[in-house]
Amino acid sequence: MGSQGEPIMERSSKFLPINGHRTFVDVDGTGPEVMIMMHGLGGSSNYFQPLITPFASRYRIIRFDFKGLGRTGPDPERKRRITIPAYIEDLRSIMDEERVDKAVLVGHSLGSVVAMHFAAAYPSRISALVAIGPGVSRAKIPVAKQFTLNMAKNARELGMPAVADGGVSSNVAPSSSDIVRAFVREVVGGQDGEGYAQVCEAACDESHVDPDYSQISCPAVLIAGDQDKIAPLKQVEDIQAKIPGSTLRVMHSGHQQVLEDTAGVVAAIESILTQSRRAS
């Protein structure tokens, strides 16, 4: 049993060869249905740890680190350029490798971008969509593009500890716990600088366009933070208005909603799972 009386869930951690790159994957739980969780820029699969206990008894939960980030890391030979379309293909390949026909997709920030693209392109493979702090393409937004390219430059020239300190102030709400600040600083600061820089550049690349939101047909919930500076509430409201039948939940948080308002995020996910079951 866990320290709070919760059962310790079965976990499998492994590296899979995904489109020519060694990709880190965590699998928790043995439920009959599948839930896939995808992290944001500077994050890792560990971001979703607070969601494992609430859902692993009912779902097989698959988490993976995007190429360039976390334990997957960058390709030292740069044989395959990091792009958002490549991430979408990686998700499809992981589902095929793990023999997943259909899943609930949960994405945070960058992960939500990949999730929304996938839901629009492969509607038959998605039972529900959870987009937490969803992002938009920065390719056509000059201020956002320059800010992100500056982050890439700083990662290469100043190192990730300097980037991490800036990330804490922009990602975590003043009202949130210092434990959240410590987690974000540790995860961002531990990234490979070149890998992080390449992902920043992918977010600004011309190949990164916004998904066709009108093609998302599964039950969907968008989760915003009332103090989020990265994906402001107005941005999330605008995206939600373009996804047919979707709902919006607002957390008391900055951009790290899962860490800052875990109970609120769990309740929002439960709501869309209930809607999905009714729709099936």
Side-chain angles (χ1 to χ4, degrees):
M1 301 293 284
S3 60
Q4 296 181 359
E6 296 291 346
I8 297 174
M9 300 297 176
E10 179 181 341
R11 171 173 299 161
S12 169
S13 299
K14 55 193 172 184
F15 285 93
L16 295 177
I18 300 298
N19 296 316
H21 193 77
R22 188 169 176 263
T23 300
F24 180 82
V25 179
D26 264 336
V27 181
D28 292 270
T30 56
E33 298 180 76
V34 176
M35 183 180 288
I36 299 176
M37 300 179 175
M38 294 175 288
H39 63 81
L41 173 62
S44 76
S45 59
N46 283 328
Y47 173 75
F48 292 105
Q49 186 60 40
L51 302 183
I52 300 304
T53 296
F55 297 108
S57 63
R58 290 171 285 161
Y59 289 85
R60 179 160 63 103
I61 299 176
I62 299 173
R63 300 175 287 165
F64 64 97
D65 290 349
F66 283 123
K67 181 180 179 182
L69 299 171
R71 285 153 289 187
T72 296
D75 177 0
E77 299 180 9
R78 301 187 71 163
K79 292 179 181 177
R80 181 167 175 260
R81 191 164 67 96
I82 295 176
T83 65
I84 303 306
Y87 278 163
I88 297 163
E89 180 61 22
D90 288 347
L91 169 58
R92 189 182 68 82
S93 296
I94 287 171
M95 290 180 70
D96 292 345
E97 181 75 20
E98 289 292 308
R99 296 183 173 86
V100 176
D101 294 325
K102 198 168 190 176
V104 176
L105 287 189
V106 180
H108 172 242
S109 197
L110 170 65
S112 71
V113 172
V114 175
M116 291 186 295
H117 269 289
F118 195 90
Y122 302 101
S124 66
R125 302 196 69 176
I126 306 304
S127 56
L129 170 67
V130 180
I132 306 169
V136 296
S137 172
R138 302 182 183 187
K140 304 295 185 183
I141 307 174
V143 174
K145 180 176 182 178
Q146 190 57 56
F147 176 81
T148 308
L149 292 176
N150 285 342
M151 290 198 303
K153 183 174 183 288
N154 289 340
R156 289 186 174 112
E157 296 181 1
L158 303 179
M160 289 309 298
V163 174
D165 287 334
V168 170
S169 61
S170 61
N171 273 263
V172 183
S175 59
S176 292
S177 164
D178 282 341
I179 295 175
V180 176
R181 291 182 180 83
F183 177 90
V184 172
R185 188 172 190 270
E186 182 69 16
V187 172
V188 176
Q191 299 289 343
D192 179 275
E194 179 58 30
Y196 180 90
Q198 290 181 32
V199 180
C200 288
E201 290 164 348
C204 302
D205 191 81
E206 292 296 326
S207 66
H208 179 197
V209 297
D210 291 329
D212 184 351
Y213 300 110
S214 67
Q215 295 302 304
I216 298 175
S217 56
C218 64
V221 61
L222 282 74
I223 298 176
D226 60 1
Q227 302 164 75
D228 192 339
K229 299 177 183 178
I230 306 298
L233 178 57
K234 178 63 166 60
Q235 172 179 297
V236 183
E237 289 173 337
D238 289 346
I239 296 172
Q240 187 262 327
K242 297 173 184 177
I243 300 177
S246 62
T247 57
L248 172 68
R249 294 291 187 96
V250 181
M251 305 295 109
H252 184 53
S253 73
H255 192 54
Q256 302 296 320
Q257 292 89 344
V258 170
L259 305 176
E260 297 177 80
D261 191 352
T262 304
V265 170
V266 170
I269 295 175
E270 292 283 15
S271 72
I272 208 64
L273 296 179
T274 299
Q275 184 180 334
S276 177
R277 286 192 292 268
R278 289 173 178 168
S280 61

PDB file of all heavy atoms in Angstrom, residues 33 185 234 239 278:
ATOM      1  N   GLU A  33      -9.529   0.022 -20.660  1.00  0.00           N
ATOM      2  CA  GLU A  33      -9.450   1.126 -21.609  1.00  0.00           C
ATOM      3  C   GLU A  33      -8.083   1.815 -21.482  1.00  0.00           C
ATOM      4  O   GLU A  33      -7.349   1.591 -20.521  1.00  0.00           O
ATOM      5  CB  GLU A  33     -10.578   2.128 -21.363  1.00  0.00           C
ATOM      6  CG  GLU A  33     -11.966   1.527 -21.558  1.00  0.00           C
ATOM      7  CD  GLU A  33     -13.058   2.552 -21.309  1.00  0.00           C
ATOM      8  OE1 GLU A  33     -13.270   3.408 -22.192  1.00  0.00           O
ATOM      9  OE2 GLU A  33     -13.687   2.499 -20.236  1.00  0.00           O
ATOM     10  N   ARG A 185      11.173  23.827 -11.497  1.00  0.00           N
ATOM     11  CA  ARG A 185      12.582  24.210 -11.634  1.00  0.00           C
ATOM     12  C   ARG A 185      13.456  22.979 -11.873  1.00  0.00           C
ATOM     13  O   ARG A 185      14.368  23.004 -12.704  1.00  0.00           O
ATOM     14  CB  ARG A 185      13.041  24.954 -10.386  1.00  0.00           C
ATOM     15  CG  ARG A 185      14.444  25.561 -10.497  1.00  0.00           C
ATOM     16  CD  ARG A 185      14.749  26.435  -9.293  1.00  0.00           C
ATOM     17  NE  ARG A 185      15.979  27.187  -9.497  1.00  0.00           N
ATOM     18  CZ  ARG A 185      17.186  26.751  -9.158  1.00  0.00           C
ATOM     19  NH1 ARG A 185      17.315  25.544  -8.610  1.00  0.00           N
ATOM     20  NH2 ARG A 185      18.255  27.492  -9.374  1.00  0.00           N
ATOM     21  N   LYS A 234      -8.415  33.790 -22.125  1.00  0.00           N
ATOM     22  CA  LYS A 234      -9.058  34.225 -23.382  1.00  0.00           C
ATOM     23  C   LYS A 234      -8.633  33.330 -24.541  1.00  0.00           C
ATOM     24  O   LYS A 234      -9.452  32.986 -25.404  1.00  0.00           O
ATOM     25  CB  LYS A 234      -8.676  35.682 -23.672  1.00  0.00           C
ATOM     26  CG  LYS A 234      -9.250  36.239 -24.978  1.00  0.00           C
ATOM     27  CD  LYS A 234     -10.767  36.258 -24.944  1.00  0.00           C
ATOM     28  CE  LYS A 234     -11.362  37.096 -26.068  1.00  0.00           C
ATOM     29  NZ  LYS A 234     -11.005  36.632 -27.415  1.00  0.00           N
ATOM     30  N   ILE A 239     -10.252  28.886 -28.348  1.00  0.00           N
ATOM     31  CA  ILE A 239     -10.114  27.531 -28.889  1.00  0.00           C
ATOM     32  C   ILE A 239     -11.368  26.717 -28.600  1.00  0.00           C
ATOM     33  O   ILE A 239     -11.907  26.026 -29.479  1.00  0.00           O
ATOM     34  CB  ILE A 239      -8.874  26.832 -28.295  1.00  0.00           C
ATOM     35  CG1 ILE A 239      -7.594  27.556 -28.705  1.00  0.00           C
ATOM     36  CG2 ILE A 239      -8.821  25.369 -28.736  1.00  0.00           C
ATOM     37  CD1 ILE A 239      -6.346  27.039 -28.003  1.00  0.00           C
ATOM     38  N   ARG A 278     -21.536   8.008 -22.014  1.00  0.00           N
ATOM     39  CA  ARG A 278     -22.918   8.198 -22.438  1.00  0.00           C
ATOM     40  C   ARG A 278     -23.045   8.248 -23.955  1.00  0.00           C
ATOM     41  O   ARG A 278     -24.053   7.820 -24.533  1.00  0.00           O
ATOM     42  CB  ARG A 278     -23.472   9.487 -21.832  1.00  0.00           C
ATOM     43  CG  ARG A 278     -23.707   9.406 -20.323  1.00  0.00           C
ATOM     44  CD  ARG A 278     -24.081  10.760 -19.762  1.00  0.00           C
ATOM     45  NE  ARG A 278     -24.350  10.700 -18.329  1.00  0.00           N
ATOM     46  CZ  ARG A 278     -24.475  11.756 -17.529  1.00  0.00           C
ATOM     47  NH1 ARG A 278     -24.349  12.988 -18.052  1.00  0.00           N
ATOM     48  NH2 ARG A 278     -24.714  11.612 -16.252  1.00  0.00           N
TER      49      ARG A 278
END
